[in-house]
Amino acid sequence: MSIKEELRGKNIVIPENPVSNFLFNNTRSGLIWLVVRLYLGYAWVTAGWGKVTNPKWVGAEAGTGLTGFINGAIGKAADGKDVSGWYASFLENMVLPNAKVFSYMVAFGELLVGLGLILGLLTGVAAFFGAFMNASFLFAGTLSTNPLLFILATWLVLAWKVAGWYGLDRWALPLLGTPWSRKR
């Protein structure tokens, strides 16, 4: 079939391999994703709770903790280590002047991502935002557990249909509907 024919509405559906079909479409894989969700959720809840209860992140001195982190990342970029110039520029010109707002966003974002993953509520959305934060921390030159958490969160995003089966998504997703099941 030519590309021209495909563009006219004729398409080829390539069947999914059995492994990815099981992992991303079969509710029996939900137990695997439950373990991954609980691990990631615990990591995010503990990180978020530590920030939410710290006055340097949320409260009287909000923004102080984040400012130290940002200045460290900008320093790494200046030394030519681990942080790209474009990201250091973003941190310096966008995040640093609004450190208080970003401090609240990080602290409560981490907590909400963790709760979403533990409860299995909007698992794909929670995992997406967790991966987004992990990527942001990686761009800022912080390795730690971020690569592992990023990979696991990305897998959860791919498995969003079944990752919350042993959680609230089992009931929430049918109520909310999915793009392919909405009535027109």
Side-chain angles (χ1 to χ4, degrees), residues 56 60 113 127 133 137 156:
K56 291 186 178 193
V113 164
M133 285 190 287
F137 301 151
L156 280 175

Side-chain angles (χ1 to χ4, degrees), residues 2-179:
S2 71
I3 292 175
K4 200 173 196 180
E5 289 174 320
E6 286 183 44
L7 293 175
R8 286 190 190 138
K10 297 179 183 178
N11 61 358
I12 299 169
V13 177
I14 300 171
E16 197 158 1
N17 72 66
V19 174
S20 62
N21 187 48
F22 171 74
L23 287 173
F24 303 128
N25 298 313
N26 192 321
T27 57
R28 290 179 296 161
S29 69
L31 287 173
I32 295 167
W33 299 120
L34 175 63
V35 172
V36 173
R37 274 187 18 236
L38 292 176
Y39 171 72
L40 281 177
Y42 178 77
W44 282 114
V45 163
T46 54
W49 187 252
K51 289 177 180 73
V52 167
T53 58
N54 184 337
K56 291 186 178 193
W57 282 87
V58 173
E61 303 171 55
T64 309
L66 185 63
T67 300
F69 177 78
I70 293 168
N71 286 330
I74 293 170
K76 288 179 186 177
D79 294 341
K81 299 177 185 172
D82 300 333
V83 179
S84 300
W86 69 269
Y87 197 71
S89 179
F90 166 74
L91 291 174
E92 188 172 20
N93 298 312
M94 180 65 99
V95 179
L96 199 54
N98 302 299
K100 190 171 187 172
V101 172
F102 277 93
S103 185
Y104 277 86
M105 287 172 49
V106 169
F108 285 102
E110 288 180 353
L111 190 61
L112 289 172
V113 164
L115 289 174
L117 292 173
I118 289 171
L119 296 173
L121 180 61
L122 301 176
T123 302
V125 175
F128 170 81
F129 283 108
F132 182 81
M133 285 190 287
N134 284 131
S136 298
F137 301 151
L138 286 167
F139 280 132
T142 306
L143 272 179
S144 182
T145 59
N146 285 306
L148 174 64
L149 298 182
F150 177 79
I151 290 167
L152 294 176
T154 303
W155 290 350
L156 280 175
V157 170
L158 293 173
W160 73 274
K161 293 182 285 185
V162 295
W165 184 256
Y166 294 103
L168 296 177
D169 277 350
R170 185 177 195 161
W171 298 278
L173 291 181
L175 288 174
L176 295 172
T178 53

